[in-house]
Amino acid sequence: MSNKEFIIIGNNIRRLRKENSYTQEKFAELIEISTNHLYRIENAKSRISLQLLLKAAKIFDVDINELINEEYETRKEILEELEEILTKCSDIEKEIIRQTVFNLYHTLRNVGV
């Protein structure tokens, strides 16, 4: 794995740890490592072992893909941003946005983007 992949893993672990309201100390205790080692994993200064990756997935109750893929964090951010926009829209505006996204999606697929 490249360093970029370990950066993604570290970011995902940090995000999930915070979403689950775990301090670094508490989460390090749960996966049975030092707080310093967890800090180094979250900041891609240390590579996480497969054993620790599996423990983290089990503790967070997520598929391991959520820990190793960048798309989960990006997709979540996009959905939150869209939800915020939609809460400010009328029903007509929401329908126009839905139709526009649908049409744009199919256009992009047709042109191969």
Side-chain angles (χ1 to χ4, degrees), residues 59 66 86 103:
I59 290 166
E66 188 160 349
L86 290 172
N103 292 333

Side-chain angles (χ1 to χ4, degrees), residues 8-112:
I8 292 166
I9 291 168
N11 287 340
N12 286 335
I13 288 174
R14 182 183 307 105
R15 174 181 54 81
L16 287 165
R17 177 178 61 76
K18 288 180 178 183
E19 284 177 8
N20 286 276
S21 301
Y22 291 130
T23 63
Q24 278 189 330
E25 293 78 13
K26 179 61 179 172
F27 188 68
E29 180 183 317
L30 290 171
I31 60 173
E32 301 172 335
I33 61 173
S34 71
T35 303
N36 184 50
H37 190 187
L38 177 59
Y39 169 85
R40 295 179 59 73
I41 289 170
E42 288 185 352
N43 291 284
K45 295 178 189 287
S46 248
R47 295 184 170 208
I48 188 169
S49 69
L50 179 58
Q51 180 183 7
L52 286 179
L53 199 59
L54 293 170
K55 272 186 182 181
K58 186 175 182 178
I59 290 166
F60 292 135
D61 193 28
V62 297
D63 185 285
I64 198 162
N65 287 314
E66 188 160 349
L67 292 174
I68 62 175
N69 289 325
E70 186 174 29
E71 69 185 53
Y72 283 94
E73 186 172 349
T74 304
R75 183 175 60 194
K76 182 179 178 197
E77 290 170 1
I78 290 169
L79 289 174
E80 286 173 355
E81 187 176 349
L82 289 172
E83 185 176 5
E84 184 179 335
I85 291 168
L86 290 172
T87 59
K88 299 173 185 173
C89 292
S90 68
D91 289 342
I92 292 170
E93 291 168 328
K94 289 176 187 174
E95 182 57 25
I96 292 169
I97 291 170
R98 187 193 67 76
Q99 288 176 1
T100 302
V101 169
F102 180 84
N103 292 333
L104 178 60
Y105 168 80
H106 287 288
T107 299
L108 291 172
R109 291 292 170 244
N110 289 335
V111 298

Side-chain angles (χ1 to χ4, degrees), residues 1-10 44 46-48 68:
M1 275 198 258
S2 72
N3 195 49
K4 180 182 182 215
E5 290 160 325
F6 285 101
I7 291 170
I8 292 166
I9 291 168
S46 248
R47 295 184 170 208
I48 188 169
I68 62 175

